[in-house]
Amino acid sequence: MGIRVVDSASVGRRRIGIGRLALALLGWVLVLVGLLVAVPLFGLIVTVILVGDSSAAELGWPSFWACIGGAAVIAGRRIVRGKRRMILFLRRFGFTGSSRALSFAVGTAVGRRFRAVTLDDMQLSPVGGRRSTGLLWAIVSVAGMVLLVLVVRGIVGWLGGDQIADVFDSAFESTRSSAAQGGANAFGAIVGGLIGAVFITLIIGIVALSLLTVMLAVIGSTVAVSTSSWLGVLRAEMARRTYVRDSDEIERAAGSVAGRARGIFAPRLVVVSSASSVWRDVVVRLAAASDIILIDVSVPSANLLWEVSTLGLEHGHRRILIVESDSVADLTDGAESNDATRRLIDLLDGEEVLAYGTGSRAELRQFAKALRSRCETTVAANQNA
């Protein structure tokens, strides 16, 4: 049968299914409803606490529904982003072609839904989240905190100062003068002034507190979301590299990498530095935790033969093979190949291999889109199996 080599340009992008579109719509609805519920209640709770005229029991139900709204926002965001999938990337150490191709892929199309992990050879640098995203969240967080402090100071100063008394006095004088000019006696003018002053003061107070509450709620929720996002990006940057020194650390490292890969903010490419004595055990454990096993077969070697044969037995349905364009001829025509290449050709007989080029950004973009499509197709097929 031979090896079927597929050019990345010929791999069309997988269409988004109706179910996924429906889930994305549901996520946006949850985010919108959650914000509409949580933001006003959050502002109300903070305002009541600042006034200091309430008990914990009176804030029970507002706090409960504010938490429900916040949970809806978090759940909606996760649904919109979709479930993160983990890719185990295996390639020949020191081979810069695949390192460059995958780094570009996880930094663009593939990294939006998939997170990659690979073993370390000091040639491939880990990739965290987008630095521009982290910087944006940091700026929004700091600016929001400063604005929040100013708003809180304004609310406290307005409630504790003479503004309310000034509004009442001004309204009283205005309504009393109007009543006197209308022919009312002195007592009637005073009573009318008091009634008008109370009414006007209440209206102005309610409007002012409502505006301040909305400002406080919007700014407070923005600060909360941006700060949590900023901290998430920072954690992702710190989790780009992990170490395995002996067999006792394999389970811990694999669980940590898999757990972080599926978070909202996670490194796009984690590099695992493994001791040479346990690297095969690390590969087996990471393969079991991964949704996709990506193997570059451009440079045949004893280690590559072990990876293809060992992982193909149990994880063949989750395996994607790639090869650099310059190495395609060696795989399709093994007449003059060495022993490792001929054995690899025998192992891959009947398999499909995705070819990639690194000569230009256009080729890298093409490969990134093709790889994402292939990953999505593989995940969907395994879900339906």
PDB file of all heavy atoms in Angstrom, residues 88-92 95-99 101-102 293-301 304 307-308 320-325 327 331 344 348 353-354 356 358 367:
ATOM      1  N   LEU A  88       0.312  15.731  22.561  1.00  0.00           N
ATOM      2  CA  LEU A  88       1.681  15.314  22.871  1.00  0.00           C
ATOM      3  C   LEU A  88       2.469  15.340  21.571  1.00  0.00           C
ATOM      4  O   LEU A  88       2.134  14.636  20.609  1.00  0.00           O
ATOM      5  CB  LEU A  88       1.687  13.911  23.476  1.00  0.00           C
ATOM      6  CG  LEU A  88       3.076  13.290  23.672  1.00  0.00           C
ATOM      7  CD1 LEU A  88       3.932  14.139  24.622  1.00  0.00           C
ATOM      8  CD2 LEU A  88       2.972  11.855  24.166  1.00  0.00           C
ATOM      9  N   PHE A  89       3.501  16.167  21.533  1.00  0.00           N
ATOM     10  CA  PHE A  89       4.298  16.340  20.318  1.00  0.00           C
ATOM     11  C   PHE A  89       5.633  15.632  20.478  1.00  0.00           C
ATOM     12  O   PHE A  89       6.417  15.935  21.374  1.00  0.00           O
ATOM     13  CB  PHE A  89       4.498  17.834  20.048  1.00  0.00           C
ATOM     14  CG  PHE A  89       5.397  18.124  18.886  1.00  0.00           C
ATOM     15  CD1 PHE A  89       5.216  17.472  17.682  1.00  0.00           C
ATOM     16  CD2 PHE A  89       6.425  19.052  18.995  1.00  0.00           C
ATOM     17  CE1 PHE A  89       6.050  17.739  16.588  1.00  0.00           C
ATOM     18  CE2 PHE A  89       7.252  19.329  17.920  1.00  0.00           C
ATOM     19  CZ  PHE A  89       7.063  18.668  16.714  1.00  0.00           C
ATOM     20  N   LEU A  90       5.915  14.691  19.588  1.00  0.00           N
ATOM     21  CA  LEU A  90       7.152  13.921  19.618  1.00  0.00           C
ATOM     22  C   LEU A  90       7.911  14.163  18.316  1.00  0.00           C
ATOM     23  O   LEU A  90       7.350  14.026  17.225  1.00  0.00           O
ATOM     24  CB  LEU A  90       6.854  12.423  19.774  1.00  0.00           C
ATOM     25  CG  LEU A  90       6.038  12.037  21.021  1.00  0.00           C
ATOM     26  CD1 LEU A  90       5.675  10.570  20.973  1.00  0.00           C
ATOM     27  CD2 LEU A  90       6.812  12.371  22.290  1.00  0.00           C
ATOM     28  N   ARG A  91       9.183  14.494  18.436  1.00  0.00           N
ATOM     29  CA  ARG A  91      10.004  14.742  17.250  1.00  0.00           C
ATOM     30  C   ARG A  91      11.459  14.455  17.595  1.00  0.00           C
ATOM     31  O   ARG A  91      11.829  14.290  18.755  1.00  0.00           O
ATOM     32  CB  ARG A  91       9.835  16.179  16.735  1.00  0.00           C
ATOM     33  CG  ARG A  91      10.729  17.231  17.372  1.00  0.00           C
ATOM     34  CD  ARG A  91      10.282  17.600  18.752  1.00  0.00           C
ATOM     35  NE  ARG A  91      11.121  18.681  19.308  1.00  0.00           N
ATOM     36  CZ  ARG A  91      11.345  18.822  20.596  1.00  0.00           C
ATOM     37  NH1 ARG A  91      10.845  17.989  21.455  1.00  0.00           N
ATOM     38  NH2 ARG A  91      12.090  19.820  21.027  1.00  0.00           N
ATOM     39  N   ARG A  92      12.303  14.445  16.595  1.00  0.00           N
ATOM     40  CA  ARG A  92      13.734  14.205  16.779  1.00  0.00           C
ATOM     41  C   ARG A  92      14.349  15.424  17.459  1.00  0.00           C
ATOM     42  O   ARG A  92      14.188  16.558  17.013  1.00  0.00           O
ATOM     43  CB  ARG A  92      14.401  13.968  15.424  1.00  0.00           C
ATOM     44  CG  ARG A  92      15.930  13.876  15.472  1.00  0.00           C
ATOM     45  CD  ARG A  92      16.392  12.596  16.132  1.00  0.00           C
ATOM     46  NE  ARG A  92      17.846  12.492  16.122  1.00  0.00           N
ATOM     47  CZ  ARG A  92      18.526  11.867  15.159  1.00  0.00           C
ATOM     48  NH1 ARG A  92      17.879  11.304  14.143  1.00  0.00           N
ATOM     49  NH2 ARG A  92      19.841  11.806  15.208  1.00  0.00           N
ATOM     50  N   PHE A  95      15.968  18.755  15.751  1.00  0.00           N
ATOM     51  CA  PHE A  95      15.422  18.980  14.414  1.00  0.00           C
ATOM     52  C   PHE A  95      14.617  20.278  14.436  1.00  0.00           C
ATOM     53  O   PHE A  95      13.503  20.334  14.963  1.00  0.00           O
ATOM     54  CB  PHE A  95      14.549  17.804  13.988  1.00  0.00           C
ATOM     55  CG  PHE A  95      14.026  17.912  12.583  1.00  0.00           C
ATOM     56  CD1 PHE A  95      14.884  18.151  11.516  1.00  0.00           C
ATOM     57  CD2 PHE A  95      12.676  17.775  12.322  1.00  0.00           C
ATOM     58  CE1 PHE A  95      14.402  18.250  10.232  1.00  0.00           C
ATOM     59  CE2 PHE A  95      12.188  17.872  11.029  1.00  0.00           C
ATOM     60  CZ  PHE A  95      13.051  18.115   9.984  1.00  0.00           C
ATOM     61  N   THR A  96      15.176  21.329  13.873  1.00  0.00           N
ATOM     62  CA  THR A  96      14.582  22.661  13.995  1.00  0.00           C
ATOM     63  C   THR A  96      13.347  22.850  13.122  1.00  0.00           C
ATOM     64  O   THR A  96      12.517  23.716  13.401  1.00  0.00           O
ATOM     65  CB  THR A  96      15.616  23.742  13.625  1.00  0.00           C
ATOM     66  OG1 THR A  96      16.082  23.508  12.288  1.00  0.00           O
ATOM     67  CG2 THR A  96      16.784  23.698  14.594  1.00  0.00           C
ATOM     68  N   GLY A  97      13.193  22.040  12.069  1.00  0.00           N
ATOM     69  CA  GLY A  97      12.055  22.210  11.178  1.00  0.00           C
ATOM     70  C   GLY A  97      10.733  22.012  11.882  1.00  0.00           C
ATOM     71  O   GLY A  97       9.835  22.859  11.839  1.00  0.00           O
ATOM     72  N   SER A  98      10.573  20.881  12.571  1.00  0.00           N
ATOM     73  CA  SER A  98       9.323  20.603  13.267  1.00  0.00           C
ATOM     74  C   SER A  98       9.138  21.536  14.452  1.00  0.00           C
ATOM     75  O   SER A  98       8.016  21.915  14.785  1.00  0.00           O
ATOM     76  CB  SER A  98       9.304  19.147  13.733  1.00  0.00           C
ATOM     77  OG  SER A  98      10.394  18.899  14.613  1.00  0.00           O
ATOM     78  N   SER A  99      10.241  21.913  15.115  1.00  0.00           N
ATOM     79  CA  SER A  99      10.139  22.838  16.239  1.00  0.00           C
ATOM     80  C   SER A  99       9.556  24.172  15.790  1.00  0.00           C
ATOM     81  O   SER A  99       8.670  24.741  16.439  1.00  0.00           O
ATOM     82  CB  SER A  99      11.517  23.057  16.872  1.00  0.00           C
ATOM     83  OG  SER A  99      12.048  21.836  17.350  1.00  0.00           O
ATOM     84  N   ALA A 101       7.756  24.711  13.031  1.00  0.00           N
ATOM     85  CA  ALA A 101       6.390  24.531  12.535  1.00  0.00           C
ATOM     86  C   ALA A 101       5.388  24.458  13.679  1.00  0.00           C
ATOM     87  O   ALA A 101       4.329  25.097  13.638  1.00  0.00           O
ATOM     88  CB  ALA A 101       6.309  23.271  11.677  1.00  0.00           C
ATOM     89  N   LEU A 102       5.711  23.686  14.720  1.00  0.00           N
ATOM     90  CA  LEU A 102       4.754  23.557  15.821  1.00  0.00           C
ATOM     91  C   LEU A 102       4.668  24.834  16.637  1.00  0.00           C
ATOM     92  O   LEU A 102       3.590  25.224  17.086  1.00  0.00           O
ATOM     93  CB  LEU A 102       5.129  22.383  16.719  1.00  0.00           C
ATOM     94  CG  LEU A 102       4.066  22.133  17.787  1.00  0.00           C
ATOM     95  CD1 LEU A 102       2.845  21.445  17.192  1.00  0.00           C
ATOM     96  CD2 LEU A 102       4.608  21.346  18.948  1.00  0.00           C
ATOM     97  N   ILE A 293      -1.818  12.599  19.701  1.00  0.00           N
ATOM     98  CA  ILE A 293      -0.385  12.279  19.735  1.00  0.00           C
ATOM     99  C   ILE A 293       0.180  12.643  18.371  1.00  0.00           C
ATOM    100  O   ILE A 293      -0.137  11.998  17.359  1.00  0.00           O
ATOM    101  CB  ILE A 293      -0.134  10.797  20.052  1.00  0.00           C
ATOM    102  CG1 ILE A 293      -0.739  10.459  21.425  1.00  0.00           C
ATOM    103  CG2 ILE A 293       1.349  10.493  20.048  1.00  0.00           C
ATOM    104  CD1 ILE A 293      -0.698   8.989  21.754  1.00  0.00           C
ATOM    105  N   LEU A 294       0.983  13.679  18.331  1.00  0.00           N
ATOM    106  CA  LEU A 294       1.543  14.206  17.085  1.00  0.00           C
ATOM    107  C   LEU A 294       2.995  13.759  16.977  1.00  0.00           C
ATOM    108  O   LEU A 294       3.814  14.099  17.839  1.00  0.00           O
ATOM    109  CB  LEU A 294       1.436  15.730  17.084  1.00  0.00           C
ATOM    110  CG  LEU A 294       1.919  16.472  15.846  1.00  0.00           C
ATOM    111  CD1 LEU A 294       1.051  16.129  14.641  1.00  0.00           C
ATOM    112  CD2 LEU A 294       1.933  17.975  16.094  1.00  0.00           C
ATOM    113  N   ILE A 295       3.319  13.004  15.929  1.00  0.00           N
ATOM    114  CA  ILE A 295       4.666  12.459  15.768  1.00  0.00           C
ATOM    115  C   ILE A 295       5.257  12.942  14.452  1.00  0.00           C
ATOM    116  O   ILE A 295       4.657  12.748  13.392  1.00  0.00           O
ATOM    117  CB  ILE A 295       4.656  10.917  15.795  1.00  0.00           C
ATOM    118  CG1 ILE A 295       3.992  10.403  17.079  1.00  0.00           C
ATOM    119  CG2 ILE A 295       6.075  10.382  15.691  1.00  0.00           C
ATOM    120  CD1 ILE A 295       3.913   8.891  17.146  1.00  0.00           C
ATOM    121  N   ASP A 296       6.429  13.560  14.539  1.00  0.00           N
ATOM    122  CA  ASP A 296       7.147  13.979  13.334  1.00  0.00           C
ATOM    123  C   ASP A 296       8.068  12.832  12.914  1.00  0.00           C
ATOM    124  O   ASP A 296       8.951  12.414  13.669  1.00  0.00           O
ATOM    125  CB  ASP A 296       7.967  15.240  13.617  1.00  0.00           C
ATOM    126  CG  ASP A 296       8.507  15.865  12.339  1.00  0.00           C
ATOM    127  OD1 ASP A 296       9.024  15.123  11.487  1.00  0.00           O
ATOM    128  OD2 ASP A 296       8.408  17.096  12.196  1.00  0.00           O
ATOM    129  N   VAL A 297       7.839  12.324  11.700  1.00  0.00           N
ATOM    130  CA  VAL A 297       8.600  11.164  11.220  1.00  0.00           C
ATOM    131  C   VAL A 297       9.635  11.574  10.177  1.00  0.00           C
ATOM    132  O   VAL A 297      10.075  10.732   9.366  1.00  0.00           O
ATOM    133  CB  VAL A 297       7.637  10.104  10.639  1.00  0.00           C
ATOM    134  CG1 VAL A 297       6.711   9.576  11.715  1.00  0.00           C
ATOM    135  CG2 VAL A 297       6.825  10.682   9.470  1.00  0.00           C
ATOM    136  N   SER A 298      10.053  12.833  10.208  1.00  0.00           N
ATOM    137  CA  SER A 298      10.992  13.332   9.192  1.00  0.00           C
ATOM    138  C   SER A 298      12.368  12.711   9.314  1.00  0.00           C
ATOM    139  O   SER A 298      13.056  12.496   8.308  1.00  0.00           O
ATOM    140  CB  SER A 298      11.107  14.861   9.286  1.00  0.00           C
ATOM    141  OG  SER A 298       9.854  15.485   9.122  1.00  0.00           O
ATOM    142  N   VAL A 299      12.806  12.435  10.545  1.00  0.00           N
ATOM    143  CA  VAL A 299      14.167  11.929  10.763  1.00  0.00           C
ATOM    144  C   VAL A 299      14.085  10.581  11.474  1.00  0.00           C
ATOM    145  O   VAL A 299      13.925  10.526  12.697  1.00  0.00           O
ATOM    146  CB  VAL A 299      14.997  12.922  11.606  1.00  0.00           C
ATOM    147  CG1 VAL A 299      16.438  12.431  11.732  1.00  0.00           C
ATOM    148  CG2 VAL A 299      14.954  14.321  11.013  1.00  0.00           C
ATOM    149  N   PRO A 300      14.151   9.472  10.741  1.00  0.00           N
ATOM    150  CA  PRO A 300      14.067   8.145  11.364  1.00  0.00           C
ATOM    151  C   PRO A 300      15.212   7.914  12.349  1.00  0.00           C
ATOM    152  O   PRO A 300      16.356   8.303  12.100  1.00  0.00           O
ATOM    153  CB  PRO A 300      14.154   7.190  10.175  1.00  0.00           C
ATOM    154  CG  PRO A 300      13.715   8.003   8.993  1.00  0.00           C
ATOM    155  CD  PRO A 300      14.211   9.395   9.273  1.00  0.00           C
ATOM    156  N   SER A 301      14.894   7.251  13.430  1.00  0.00           N
ATOM    157  CA  SER A 301      15.888   6.906  14.449  1.00  0.00           C
ATOM    158  C   SER A 301      15.331   5.764  15.283  1.00  0.00           C
ATOM    159  O   SER A 301      14.142   5.408  15.168  1.00  0.00           O
ATOM    160  CB  SER A 301      16.207   8.119  15.333  1.00  0.00           C
ATOM    161  OG  SER A 301      15.065   8.487  16.093  1.00  0.00           O
ATOM    162  N   LEU A 304      12.488   7.070  17.414  1.00  0.00           N
ATOM    163  CA  LEU A 304      11.261   7.288  16.649  1.00  0.00           C
ATOM    164  C   LEU A 304      10.569   5.958  16.356  1.00  0.00           C
ATOM    165  O   LEU A 304       9.342   5.843  16.451  1.00  0.00           O
ATOM    166  CB  LEU A 304      11.579   8.013  15.341  1.00  0.00           C
ATOM    167  CG  LEU A 304      10.407   8.195  14.369  1.00  0.00           C
ATOM    168  CD1 LEU A 304       9.298   9.023  15.002  1.00  0.00           C
ATOM    169  CD2 LEU A 304      10.873   8.845  13.067  1.00  0.00           C
ATOM    170  N   GLU A 307       8.719   4.946  19.408  1.00  0.00           N
ATOM    171  CA  GLU A 307       7.508   5.758  19.612  1.00  0.00           C
ATOM    172  C   GLU A 307       6.390   5.336  18.678  1.00  0.00           C
ATOM    173  O   GLU A 307       5.237   5.175  19.096  1.00  0.00           O
ATOM    174  CB  GLU A 307       7.838   7.237  19.403  1.00  0.00           C
ATOM    175  CG  GLU A 307       8.754   7.816  20.473  1.00  0.00           C
ATOM    176  CD  GLU A 307       9.305   9.190  20.089  1.00  0.00           C
ATOM    177  OE1 GLU A 307       9.137   9.590  18.909  1.00  0.00           O
ATOM    178  OE2 GLU A 307       9.898   9.844  20.959  1.00  0.00           O
ATOM    179  N   VAL A 308       6.721   5.140  17.397  1.00  0.00           N
ATOM    180  CA  VAL A 308       5.695   4.770  16.423  1.00  0.00           C
ATOM    181  C   VAL A 308       5.113   3.396  16.733  1.00  0.00           C
ATOM    182  O   VAL A 308       3.893   3.192  16.701  1.00  0.00           O
ATOM    183  CB  VAL A 308       6.284   4.802  15.000  1.00  0.00           C
ATOM    184  CG1 VAL A 308       5.290   4.211  13.999  1.00  0.00           C
ATOM    185  CG2 VAL A 308       6.639   6.226  14.603  1.00  0.00           C
ATOM    186  N   ILE A 320      -1.464  11.435  14.956  1.00  0.00           N
ATOM    187  CA  ILE A 320      -1.336  12.186  13.713  1.00  0.00           C
ATOM    188  C   ILE A 320       0.140  12.225  13.356  1.00  0.00           C
ATOM    189  O   ILE A 320       0.980  12.584  14.186  1.00  0.00           O
ATOM    190  CB  ILE A 320      -1.887  13.620  13.863  1.00  0.00           C
ATOM    191  CG1 ILE A 320      -3.388  13.591  14.172  1.00  0.00           C
ATOM    192  CG2 ILE A 320      -1.625  14.430  12.597  1.00  0.00           C
ATOM    193  CD1 ILE A 320      -3.973  14.970  14.429  1.00  0.00           C
ATOM    194  N   LEU A 321       0.464  11.852  12.126  1.00  0.00           N
ATOM    195  CA  LEU A 321       1.844  11.812  11.663  1.00  0.00           C
ATOM    196  C   LEU A 321       2.109  13.002  10.743  1.00  0.00           C
ATOM    197  O   LEU A 321       1.285  13.323   9.879  1.00  0.00           O
ATOM    198  CB  LEU A 321       2.113  10.507  10.914  1.00  0.00           C
ATOM    199  CG  LEU A 321       1.806   9.212  11.684  1.00  0.00           C
ATOM    200  CD1 LEU A 321       1.947   8.014  10.772  1.00  0.00           C
ATOM    201  CD2 LEU A 321       2.709   9.084  12.905  1.00  0.00           C
ATOM    202  N   ILE A 322       3.256  13.641  10.915  1.00  0.00           N
ATOM    203  CA  ILE A 322       3.644  14.758  10.059  1.00  0.00           C
ATOM    204  C   ILE A 322       5.070  14.529   9.564  1.00  0.00           C
ATOM    205  O   ILE A 322       5.853  13.790  10.174  1.00  0.00           O
ATOM    206  CB  ILE A 322       3.553  16.109  10.802  1.00  0.00           C
ATOM    207  CG1 ILE A 322       4.497  16.134  12.007  1.00  0.00           C
ATOM    208  CG2 ILE A 322       2.129  16.401  11.232  1.00  0.00           C
ATOM    209  CD1 ILE A 322       4.551  17.485  12.718  1.00  0.00           C
ATOM    210  N   VAL A 323       5.398  15.165   8.449  1.00  0.00           N
ATOM    211  CA  VAL A 323       6.731  15.027   7.874  1.00  0.00           C
ATOM    212  C   VAL A 323       7.079  16.321   7.143  1.00  0.00           C
ATOM    213  O   VAL A 323       6.213  16.949   6.531  1.00  0.00           O
ATOM    214  CB  VAL A 323       6.798  13.829   6.903  1.00  0.00           C
ATOM    215  CG1 VAL A 323       5.827  14.009   5.747  1.00  0.00           C
ATOM    216  CG2 VAL A 323       8.212  13.611   6.399  1.00  0.00           C
ATOM    217  N   GLU A 324       8.336  16.722   7.237  1.00  0.00           N
ATOM    218  CA  GLU A 324       8.770  17.903   6.508  1.00  0.00           C
ATOM    219  C   GLU A 324       8.809  17.586   5.013  1.00  0.00           C
ATOM    220  O   GLU A 324       9.149  16.477   4.596  1.00  0.00           O
ATOM    221  CB  GLU A 324      10.151  18.348   6.995  1.00  0.00           C
ATOM    222  CG  GLU A 324      10.547  19.703   6.445  1.00  0.00           C
ATOM    223  CD  GLU A 324      11.908  20.154   6.968  1.00  0.00           C
ATOM    224  OE1 GLU A 324      12.773  19.289   7.176  1.00  0.00           O
ATOM    225  OE2 GLU A 324      12.086  21.368   7.141  1.00  0.00           O
ATOM    226  N   SER A 325       8.472  18.577   4.214  1.00  0.00           N
ATOM    227  CA  SER A 325       8.368  18.372   2.764  1.00  0.00           C
ATOM    228  C   SER A 325       9.658  17.821   2.161  1.00  0.00           C
ATOM    229  O   SER A 325       9.628  16.977   1.255  1.00  0.00           O
ATOM    230  CB  SER A 325       7.998  19.687   2.078  1.00  0.00           C
ATOM    231  OG  SER A 325       6.763  20.163   2.557  1.00  0.00           O
ATOM    232  N   SER A 327      11.647  15.767   3.360  1.00  0.00           N
ATOM    233  CA  SER A 327      11.888  14.370   3.730  1.00  0.00           C
ATOM    234  C   SER A 327      10.860  13.415   3.142  1.00  0.00           C
ATOM    235  O   SER A 327      10.924  12.209   3.411  1.00  0.00           O
ATOM    236  CB  SER A 327      11.890  14.224   5.257  1.00  0.00           C
ATOM    237  OG  SER A 327      12.863  15.060   5.854  1.00  0.00           O
ATOM    238  N   LEU A 331      10.547   8.785   2.458  1.00  0.00           N
ATOM    239  CA  LEU A 331       9.505   7.885   2.948  1.00  0.00           C
ATOM    240  C   LEU A 331       8.753   7.200   1.817  1.00  0.00           C
ATOM    241  O   LEU A 331       8.263   6.078   1.967  1.00  0.00           O
ATOM    242  CB  LEU A 331       8.505   8.644   3.824  1.00  0.00           C
ATOM    243  CG  LEU A 331       9.031   9.177   5.156  1.00  0.00           C
ATOM    244  CD1 LEU A 331       7.918   9.884   5.913  1.00  0.00           C
ATOM    245  CD2 LEU A 331       9.599   8.051   6.010  1.00  0.00           C
ATOM    246  N   LEU A 344      10.897   2.115   9.325  1.00  0.00           N
ATOM    247  CA  LEU A 344       9.827   3.102   9.531  1.00  0.00           C
ATOM    248  C   LEU A 344       8.782   3.001   8.427  1.00  0.00           C
ATOM    249  O   LEU A 344       7.572   3.082   8.688  1.00  0.00           O
ATOM    250  CB  LEU A 344      10.418   4.513   9.578  1.00  0.00           C
ATOM    251  CG  LEU A 344       9.414   5.666   9.791  1.00  0.00           C
ATOM    252  CD1 LEU A 344       8.714   5.525  11.130  1.00  0.00           C
ATOM    253  CD2 LEU A 344      10.119   7.012   9.691  1.00  0.00           C
ATOM    254  N   LEU A 348       4.774   2.237   8.903  1.00  0.00           N
ATOM    255  CA  LEU A 348       3.772   3.218   8.487  1.00  0.00           C
ATOM    256  C   LEU A 348       3.042   2.798   7.214  1.00  0.00           C
ATOM    257  O   LEU A 348       2.342   3.629   6.614  1.00  0.00           O
ATOM    258  CB  LEU A 348       4.443   4.581   8.249  1.00  0.00           C
ATOM    259  CG  LEU A 348       5.137   5.212   9.444  1.00  0.00           C
ATOM    260  CD1 LEU A 348       5.692   6.579   9.071  1.00  0.00           C
ATOM    261  CD2 LEU A 348       4.177   5.342  10.625  1.00  0.00           C
ATOM    262  N   VAL A 353       0.235  10.605   6.159  1.00  0.00           N
ATOM    263  CA  VAL A 353       1.181  11.528   6.782  1.00  0.00           C
ATOM    264  C   VAL A 353       0.942  12.924   6.218  1.00  0.00           C
ATOM    265  O   VAL A 353       0.836  13.100   4.993  1.00  0.00           O
ATOM    266  CB  VAL A 353       2.642  11.088   6.536  1.00  0.00           C
ATOM    267  CG1 VAL A 353       3.604  12.031   7.255  1.00  0.00           C
ATOM    268  CG2 VAL A 353       2.856   9.652   6.999  1.00  0.00           C
ATOM    269  N   LEU A 354       0.887  13.900   7.094  1.00  0.00           N
ATOM    270  CA  LEU A 354       0.668  15.287   6.694  1.00  0.00           C
ATOM    271  C   LEU A 354       2.010  15.983   6.495  1.00  0.00           C
ATOM    272  O   LEU A 354       2.827  16.062   7.412  1.00  0.00           O
ATOM    273  CB  LEU A 354      -0.143  16.021   7.761  1.00  0.00           C
ATOM    274  CG  LEU A 354      -0.394  17.516   7.547  1.00  0.00           C
ATOM    275  CD1 LEU A 354      -1.226  17.748   6.293  1.00  0.00           C
ATOM    276  CD2 LEU A 354      -1.087  18.127   8.771  1.00  0.00           C
ATOM    277  N   TYR A 356       4.512  19.213   5.716  1.00  0.00           N
ATOM    278  CA  TYR A 356       4.552  20.644   6.028  1.00  0.00           C
ATOM    279  C   TYR A 356       5.832  21.253   5.486  1.00  0.00           C
ATOM    280  O   TYR A 356       6.850  20.575   5.305  1.00  0.00           O
ATOM    281  CB  TYR A 356       4.466  20.878   7.536  1.00  0.00           C
ATOM    282  CG  TYR A 356       5.656  20.356   8.317  1.00  0.00           C
ATOM    283  CD1 TYR A 356       6.783  21.148   8.532  1.00  0.00           C
ATOM    284  CD2 TYR A 356       5.650  19.071   8.846  1.00  0.00           C
ATOM    285  CE1 TYR A 356       7.872  20.671   9.245  1.00  0.00           C
ATOM    286  CE2 TYR A 356       6.733  18.576   9.554  1.00  0.00           C
ATOM    287  CZ  TYR A 356       7.841  19.376   9.750  1.00  0.00           C
ATOM    288  OH  TYR A 356       8.915  18.897  10.446  1.00  0.00           O
ATOM    289  N   THR A 358       8.511  24.796   5.802  1.00  0.00           N
ATOM    290  CA  THR A 358       8.941  25.864   6.707  1.00  0.00           C
ATOM    291  C   THR A 358       9.660  26.982   5.973  1.00  0.00           C
ATOM    292  O   THR A 358      10.307  27.827   6.587  1.00  0.00           O
ATOM    293  CB  THR A 358       9.875  25.289   7.795  1.00  0.00           C
ATOM    294  OG1 THR A 358      11.023  24.693   7.165  1.00  0.00           O
ATOM    295  CG2 THR A 358       9.166  24.246   8.629  1.00  0.00           C
ATOM    296  N   PHE A 367       0.139  25.050   7.173  1.00  0.00           N
ATOM    297  CA  PHE A 367       0.293  23.878   8.032  1.00  0.00           C
ATOM    298  C   PHE A 367      -0.499  24.032   9.324  1.00  0.00           C
ATOM    299  O   PHE A 367      -1.134  23.073   9.789  1.00  0.00           O
ATOM    300  CB  PHE A 367       1.768  23.652   8.348  1.00  0.00           C
ATOM    301  CG  PHE A 367       2.001  22.627   9.418  1.00  0.00           C
ATOM    302  CD1 PHE A 367       1.727  21.286   9.188  1.00  0.00           C
ATOM    303  CD2 PHE A 367       2.488  23.004  10.661  1.00  0.00           C
ATOM    304  CE1 PHE A 367       1.927  20.338  10.185  1.00  0.00           C
ATOM    305  CE2 PHE A 367       2.693  22.064  11.656  1.00  0.00           C
ATOM    306  CZ  PHE A 367       2.416  20.724  11.418  1.00  0.00           C
TER     307      PHE A 367
END
